[in-house]
Amino acid sequence: MKIESVEIYSYASNQAVMRHPGRSFFPGVWVQGDTLDAMAGSLRYVIENGACLNEKSAGRLREVSERLEELLAHYRSVLTAHGILLPIGD
């Protein structure tokens, strides 16, 4: 673990905007882990329940879902490695 200062442009809950010290462009949006889990779960639900989408839209939905699942897996892995309880249904 490393403690560093970040540039915070907005403190809005579940949509705080900040820039990591190693980045020179494009600040990021910080999302709470439980919100990340809920977003991934909502996409999973839509995909699994056969929403009426054309093939291109369904493919894009899967891409977003897969990326969120990757972020969620990384989040879980990092918290577990540091002995931090997961704030999600695991």
Side-chain angles (χ1 to χ4, degrees), residues 36-49:
L36 176 64
D37 182 60
M39 290 170 29
S42 292
L43 285 173
R44 246 183 273 122
Y45 178 86
V46 171
I47 291 168
E48 291 168 2
N49 287 288

Side-chain angles (χ1 to χ4, degrees), residues 2 5-6 8 11 14 21 23-24 27 32 35 38 48 53 60 62-64 72 76-78 87:
K2 188 176 184 180
S5 297
V6 296
I8 301 174
Y11 285 94
N14 279 322
R23 299 284 304 212
S24 39
Q32 289 280 145
T35 300
E48 291 168 2
L53 298 171
R60 292 213 172 172
R62 276 190 297 280
E63 288 172 11
V64 171
L72 188 56
R76 289 174 175 152
S77 173
V78 169

